[in-house]
Amino acid sequence: MKKLLATLSIVFGLVSTPVSAAPSLIPTPPQLSASSYILMDAYTGDVLVSHNADEELPPASLTKLMTAYIIEYELARGNLSFSDQVSVSEKAWRMEGSRMFIREGTRVSLEDLMRGIIIQSGNDASVAAAEYVAGSESAFADLMNQHAQLLGMKNSHFVNATGFPAEGHYSSAHDLAKLSRATILQFPENYKMYAEKEFTYNNIKQPNRNKLLWRDKTVDGLKTGHTEEAGYCLAASAVRNGTRLITVVMGTKSDQARAAESQKLLDYGFRYYETRKLYSRGQVVNNAKVWGGSQSNVKVGFAEDVLVTIPRQQGDSLPATLDMMKEITAPIAVGDVLGKVIVGTEGNILLEQPVVALEAVEEGGFFKRMFDKIRLFFANLF
């Protein structure tokens, strides 16, 4: 194994110091007045705080995060366009609860429907969009469950596009955090819509119900929800100094409470944790020996940026080891896994990340392969 302390120190721009020199002192997370909640690092997916986070609960209008996600998914694949004109059915028009106030028989742009879903939490907009995408709300619900499975949402099941109370319709704080993370990372351009504070349609101006958008300038999403059964819920996200956090709070007692409890989690997370970039995509960390190849070495590095969530009091250097395959033989394709980097100490591993071939290496000629086989044979004897 090869120590990579120097590599990490270069990434941080600091001189290597023992990690034990600066112990991490983190207080107990705040206890919230909510039935379920979670705090997640959006970039790494690490869960920093959780309470009943996998409990299956009625998600109310947090359901619309999935409705919007599917629309964004179809937009990204060119199957839909924001300029599409959507016919409003009687079912959509008759929806009760929070509404965008679209009218039966009219046509509404998909872009306006998206704002109606995200900003105004319109049940009418959600049904109209669902019918347009899948033909019916029930078919759209089936699509929602397929996406939930792909996203690893193990404690969710949807039967409608709105979050209207229904038997068998549930999700969890953890699952909704995963969904929020996918929305933020996969569709950054569309995500800007979640920060808009108001939307006017049919001469009716409605504010975004996420009070944190006014109270905390670092907050830029995501969605509120409320039914009598679910209580007051909020999925929120904020970014400060390169760290983005996601909170989901479910089952609070009021609109004020869901905002205040979410703020407690965000402030705790940003005060005591940060996201650090350890390596960049394509960064070379090793020139590994290749046997039987057209060249004798292969550049080894990372397929994607490598990020880690660490306590802010963590030392400025982190110990890391590079564990390479004992024998690397050609042919090698770009992206082939050739080993892994382990970041942290034996009792506190922060991250394990595969390292891959950054270039292809073809097989060498007959004599090169035979010569390397002989060398490898004798090398294994000692």
Side-chain angles (χ1 to χ4, degrees), residues 16-34:
S16 177
T17 56
V19 71
S20 59
S24 300
L25 302 176
I26 300 177
T28 302
Q31 300 296 305
L32 306 189
S33 297

Side-chain angles (χ1 to χ4, degrees), residues 306-378:
V306 179
L307 305 172
V308 64
T309 309
I310 61 172
R312 285 193 176 276
Q313 298 92 340
Q314 186 77 60
D316 290 324
S317 308
L318 295 173
T321 55
L322 176 60
D323 185 6
M324 296 294 298
M325 291 173 55
K326 186 176 181 181
E327 296 176 9
I328 300 174
T329 58
I332 301 167
V334 174
D336 282 353
V337 175
L338 302 179
K340 63 182 177 180
V341 160
I342 304 170
V343 179
T345 59
E346 184 175 349
N348 183 28
I349 295 177
L350 299 175
L351 177 76
E352 289 190 19
Q353 189 79 12
V355 290
V356 302
L358 298 177
E359 57 185 342
V361 179
E362 297 179 354
E363 280 189 328
F366 174 78
F367 291 107
K368 175 66 163 60
R369 297 198 307 273
M370 290 301 297
F371 180 65
D372 276 2
K373 283 183 179 180
I374 294 170
R375 292 177 60 201
L376 184 59
F377 173 78
F378 283 103

Side-chain angles (χ1 to χ4, degrees), residues 1-8 10 279 283-289 297-302 318-326 338-344 353 355:
M1 291 188 178
K2 179 181 178 182
K3 296 289 184 181
L4 290 183
L5 286 170
T7 304
L8 283 171
I10 292 171
Y279 303 96
Q283 180 178 341
V284 178
V285 295
N286 189 254
N287 277 299
K289 172 66 179 175
N297 297 89
V298 60
K299 293 179 180 177
V300 177
F302 300 94
L318 295 173
T321 55
L322 176 60
D323 185 6
M324 296 294 298
M325 291 173 55
K326 186 176 181 181
L338 302 179
K340 63 182 177 180
V341 160
I342 304 170
V343 179
Q353 189 79 12
V355 290

Side-chain angles (χ1 to χ4, degrees), residues 57-369:
L57 296 170
S61 285
L62 296 189
T63 298
K64 297 183 177 93
L65 289 171
M66 178 60 86
T67 302
Y69 174 85
I70 291 174
I71 295 169
E72 291 164 330
Y73 182 92
E74 297 296 331
L75 285 166
R77 280 147 186 78
N79 297 328
L80 300 176
S81 169
F82 269 144
S83 61
D84 289 356
Q85 297 298 305
V86 179
S87 295
V88 179
S89 68
E90 180 182 356
K91 178 182 177 181
W93 171 64
R94 288 188 179 277
M95 288 301 297
E96 299 177 352
S98 54
R99 289 181 289 166
M100 178 183 172
F101 297 102
I102 52 180
R103 296 189 296 269
E104 179 188 4
T106 62
R107 298 175 72 83
V108 184
S109 74
L110 187 60
E111 184 172 7
D112 281 345
L113 287 179
M114 274 290 286
R115 285 189 165 85
I117 294 167
I118 294 168
I119 301 168
Q120 299 175 336
S121 197
N123 293 327
D124 50 358
S126 299
V127 172
E131 292 176 336
Y132 181 69
V133 172
S136 69
E137 188 179 12
S138 60
F140 188 81
D142 181 62
L143 197 58
M144 295 169 79
N145 291 319
Q146 292 181 48
H147 277 279
Q149 185 175 10
L150 291 173
L151 291 170
M153 298 171 64
K154 298 179 180 179
N155 298 294
S156 296
H157 185 263
F158 302 101
V159 300
N160 61 53
T162 62
F164 233 66
E167 184 178 354
H169 187 96
Y170 56 83
S171 190
S172 69
H174 195 176
D175 282 358
L176 292 166
K178 291 178 182 178
L179 175 57
S180 299
R181 181 173 183 245
T183 296
I184 292 166
L185 298 183
Q186 294 180 27
F187 313 117
E189 286 303 312
N190 292 332
Y191 178 67
K192 296 174 184 178
M193 199 176 287
Y194 292 79
E196 295 179 17
K197 294 180 178 180
E198 61 185 28
F199 178 55
T200 301
Y201 183 80
N202 198 18
N203 296 319
I204 301 172
K205 180 189 289 188
Q206 297 187 66
N208 194 315
R209 292 169 171 81
N210 183 358
K211 292 183 180 297
L212 291 184
L213 293 175
W214 282 267
R215 298 180 182 179
D216 185 339
K217 65 181 181 180
T218 68
V219 172
D220 56 8
L222 293 154
K223 186 77 187 67
T224 61
H226 170 250
T227 63
E228 184 175 347
E229 183 185 11
Y232 289 82
C233 309
L234 174 61
S237 183
V239 59
R240 302 179 193 173
N241 300 317
T243 298
R244 176 179 283 282
L245 299 178
I246 294 168
T247 64
V248 179
V249 173
M250 305 179 74
T252 68
K253 294 182 179 180
S254 68
D255 184 15
Q256 294 288 345
R258 68 185 172 191
E261 301 300 83
S262 297
Q263 188 75 68
K264 289 178 187 177
L265 273 185
L266 288 172
D267 289 344
Y268 172 84
F270 284 119
R271 184 172 294 119
Y272 294 107
Y273 293 93
E274 64 178 319
T275 310
R276 284 195 182 181
K277 181 178 177 180
L278 302 185
Y279 303 96
S280 298
R281 176 181 180 180
Q283 180 178 341
V284 178
V285 295
N286 189 254
N287 277 299
K289 172 66 179 175
V290 177
W291 300 95
S294 58
Q295 60 192 55
S296 299
N297 297 89
V298 60
K299 293 179 180 177
V300 177
F302 300 94
E304 301 293 341
D305 291 346
V306 179
L307 305 172
V308 64
T309 309
I310 61 172
R312 285 193 176 276
Q313 298 92 340
Q314 186 77 60
D316 290 324
S317 308
L318 295 173
T321 55
L322 176 60
D323 185 6
M324 296 294 298
M325 291 173 55
K326 186 176 181 181
E327 296 176 9
I328 300 174
T329 58
I332 301 167
V334 174
D336 282 353
V337 175
L338 302 179
K340 63 182 177 180
V341 160
I342 304 170
V343 179
T345 59
E346 184 175 349
N348 183 28
I349 295 177
L350 299 175
L351 177 76
E352 289 190 19
Q353 189 79 12
V355 290
V356 302
L358 298 177
E359 57 185 342
V361 179
E362 297 179 354
E363 280 189 328
F366 174 78
F367 291 107
K368 175 66 163 60
R369 297 198 307 273

